[in-house]
């Protein structure tokens, strides 16, 4: 298949050498794993399994949405917040640790100290801007829309497309779909569709994958969505911005579980004229900030200045320690610095 060689040859060569020589592998993903973190890690997990590697574990700091749990291998993901000793042991004793879909140790929360302490060879495969220097190999390609796509490209460049199994292809497709909003943003690169063609040739049912991820709302989630749009969305017309907020009380009312608010932050962008959307969710330990934009508004800079975070231009996030009122005040202050409210 015709794919351009975006990833540097010497990175491919080193990764291949580590894979060939290694016998135990830990694949680490970021906190609150999203579809791309889950998809890329399970894609690599299945691929290494096909190669005959029998000591391969995916390690996540914490739980991920239920609508990814149909993916083969997802039930074996080791969650650090449930099994801290086991997760840290796996990272300590691995020959190779893959860091997937994140670019700085901070993004794995309490796993960070084990991650930087291990003597394993660390290989970053990621697409966020400005990677920190903590890995032996830093494959960092912000121009690629998902880490899952990078896993596919890596496997092909190692000359092993034939070894890609259907479960690996399903995971990779799920991740690519997730980070592009089902191919509605960051998705104009024609080779994305060459890759999809070759995943379909592995037997995936892309329509079914879409349904399994996007059409499995609980009644509670659907009602919370209605509530958010009707009562909890504030529009700042002059800034072309929307803000939605949910407090602990709101979340309890709708029996919130992980993943229930996924995608809420995208909804206001469907309003004509809105180019920037923010969502503040009061979690037990902090306020989680999610930002989305269309066009040139830099969500990652906004997250970094106001909310100790980062990400991509059109999708970023961060966190805030304090009350919802203070978070909203900081949001409005930061917004005024970015847009002209007059
Ligand atoms: P989400 O809003 O879906 O949680 O996150 C969107 C994107 O923002 C993620 O893919 C990630 O790149 C980035 N992001 C989210 N939360 C954080 C954070 O706390 N710190 C940093 N550096 N990036 C984040
Ligand atoms: Mn990603």
């Amino acid at each position: 298949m015709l794919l351009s060689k975006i990833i540097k040859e010497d990175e491919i060569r080193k990764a291949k050498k580590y894979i060939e020589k290694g016998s135990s592998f830990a694949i680490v993903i970021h906190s609150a794993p999203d579809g791309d973190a889950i998809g890329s890690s399970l894609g690599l997990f299945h691929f290494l399994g096909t190669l005959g590697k029998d000591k391969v574990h995916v390690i996540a700091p914490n739980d991920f949405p239920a609508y990814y749990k149909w993916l083969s291998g997802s039930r074996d993901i080791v969650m650090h917040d449930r099994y801290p000793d086991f997760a840290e042991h796996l990272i300590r004793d691995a020959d190779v640790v893959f860091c997937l879909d994140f670019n700085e140790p901070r993004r794995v929360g309490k796993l960070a100290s084990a991650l930087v302490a291990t003597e394993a060879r660390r290989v970053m495969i990621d697409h966020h801007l400005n990677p920190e220097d903590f890995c032996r190999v830093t494959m960092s390609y912000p121009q690629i829309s998902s880490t899952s796509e990078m896993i596919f490209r890596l496997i092909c460049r190692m000359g092993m497309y034939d070894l890609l199994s259907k479960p690996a292809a399903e995971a990779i497709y799920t991740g690519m779909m997730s980070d592009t909003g089902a191919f509605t943003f960051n998705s104009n690169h024609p080779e994305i569709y060459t890759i999809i063609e070759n995943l379909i040739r592995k037997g995936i049912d892309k329509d079914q994958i879409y349904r399994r991820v996007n059409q499995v709302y609980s009644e509670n989630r659907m009602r919370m969505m209605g509530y958010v749009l009707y009562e909890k969305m504030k529009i700042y017309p002059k800034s072309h911005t929307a803000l939605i907020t949910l407090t602990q009380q709101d979340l309890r009312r709708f029996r919130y579980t992980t993943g229930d608010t996924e995608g809420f932050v995208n909804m206001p962008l469907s309003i004509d004229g809105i180019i920037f959307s923010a969502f503040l969710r009061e979690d037990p330990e902090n306020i989680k900030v999610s930002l989305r934009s269309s066009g040139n508004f830099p969500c990652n800079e906004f997250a970094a200045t106001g909310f100790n975070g980062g990400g991509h231009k059109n999708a970023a996030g961060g966190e805030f320690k304090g009350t919802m009122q203070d978070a909203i005040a900081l949001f409005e202050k930061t917004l005024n610095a970015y847009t002209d409210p007059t």
Side-chain angles (χ1 to χ4, degrees):
M1 98 201 57
L2 261 159
L3 288 181
S4 50
K5 294 187 170 179
I6 299 178
I7 303 175
K8 290 191 202 82
E9 188 61 41
D10 104 283
E11 294 169 354
I12 302 279
R13 210 185 49 242
K14 281 192 192 135
K16 191 173 181 190
K17 189 177 83 185
Y18 296 169
I19 288 172
E20 281 168 354
K21 288 195 171 169
S23 71
S24 54
F25 300 85
I27 302 170
V28 177
I29 55 180
H30 58 76
S31 298
D34 59 4
D36 189 30
I38 297 294
S40 58
S41 58
L42 290 177
L44 182 59
F45 167 83
H46 287 298
F47 171 70
L48 293 173
T50 308
L51 278 184
K53 308 287 178 181
D54 53 6
K55 286 189 231 153
V56 186
H57 288 91
V58 177
I59 298 154
N62 47 21
D63 202 3
F64 55 92
Y67 45 79
Y68 296 122
K69 293 193 176 174
W70 59 270
L71 278 163
S72 167
S74 63
R75 305 259 167 199
D76 299 322
I77 293 178
V78 179
M79 278 175 238
H80 180 248
D81 63 353
R82 284 192 209 160
Y83 305 101
D85 296 342
F86 183 48
E88 287 167 28
H89 155 83
L90 289 170
I91 291 175
R92 191 167 49 239
D93 288 359
D95 298 319
V96 184
V97 173
F98 288 98
C99 301
L100 261 48
D101 203 38
F102 66 95
N103 61 353
E104 49 180 1
R106 223 166 48 89
R107 292 282 288 132
V108 300
K110 290 179 182 141
L111 256 180
S113 51
L115 183 65
V116 295
T118 178
E119 291 182 6
R121 289 171 163 74
R122 280 181 292 267
V123 178
M124 183 197 298
I125 305 177
D126 179 54
H127 66 139
H128 294 93
L129 285 171
N130 309 322
E132 264 185 35
D133 183 15
F134 67 100
C135 292
R136 193 82 78 97
V137 177
T138 301
M139 262 182 229
S140 168
Y141 293 87
Q143 70 270 41
I144 298 181
S145 59
S146 64
T147 301
S148 300
E149 178 179 335
M150 291 181 65
I151 296 293
F152 183 89
R153 287 178 177 276
L154 169 66
I155 292 169
C156 288
R157 287 284 295 287
M158 294 191 299
M160 300 198 226
Y161 168 77
D162 289 348
L163 294 182
L164 194 73
S165 62
K166 182 178 167 188
E170 284 178 332
I172 288 171
Y173 183 81
T174 301
M176 291 175 65
M177 182 184 81
S178 160
D179 261 18
T180 57
F183 309 100
T184 61
F185 51 80
N186 288 338
S187 56
N188 280 324
H189 197 300
E191 292 181 2
I192 290 176
Y193 304 93
T194 308
I195 295 172
I196 294 175
E197 176 194 340
N198 286 283
L199 293 171
I200 292 174
R201 291 190 191 286
K202 292 289 181 179
I204 69 162
D205 182 339
K206 67 181 267 301
D207 304 346
Q208 185 191 51
I209 292 175
Y210 180 86
R211 288 194 302 274
R212 281 178 158 171
V213 173
N214 295 297
Q215 297 179 340
V216 287
Y217 291 2
S218 64
E219 181 184 338
N220 279 324
R221 177 188 157 140
M222 199 78 185
R223 293 199 187 280
M224 180 158 61
M225 191 184 265
Y227 169 71
V228 159
L229 293 176
Y230 193 59
E231 293 191 22
K232 305 292 301 240
M233 179 175 70
K234 181 169 178 186
I235 302 290
Y236 301 81
K238 288 175 180 153
S239 306
H240 304 282
T241 292
L243 170 68
I244 57 185
T245 57
L246 282 173
T247 62
Q248 277 284 303
Q249 198 186 358
D250 295 327
L251 296 170
R252 273 198 299 273
R253 176 172 166 198
F254 293 97
R255 299 181 202 288
Y256 170 80
T257 61
T258 307
D260 276 356
T261 60
E262 206 67 34
F264 281 14
V265 64
N266 295 307
M267 296 189 298
L269 290 179
S270 313
I271 301 170
D272 191 20
I274 296 295
I275 58 146
F276 179 42
S277 169
F279 171 37
L280 306 178
R281 187 186 66 218
E282 187 182 14
D283 285 347
E285 289 183 359
N286 57 27
I287 291 177
K288 168 78 181 99
V289 181
S290 282
L291 307 173
R292 298 291 186 275
S293 68
S294 54
N296 279 326
F297 189 91
C299 292
N300 44 4
E301 278 176 34
F302 192 99
T305 22
F307 296 98
N308 196 29
H312 313 278
K313 187 175 70 179
N314 296 133
E319 58 185 37
F320 179 79
K321 294 255 185 229
T323 65
M324 182 58 89
Q325 258 185 334
D326 289 346
I328 294 172
L330 176 60
F331 173 79
E332 291 179 346
K333 187 168 152 243
T334 315
L335 184 64
N336 286 340
Y338 269 82
T339 56
D340 181 5
T342 53

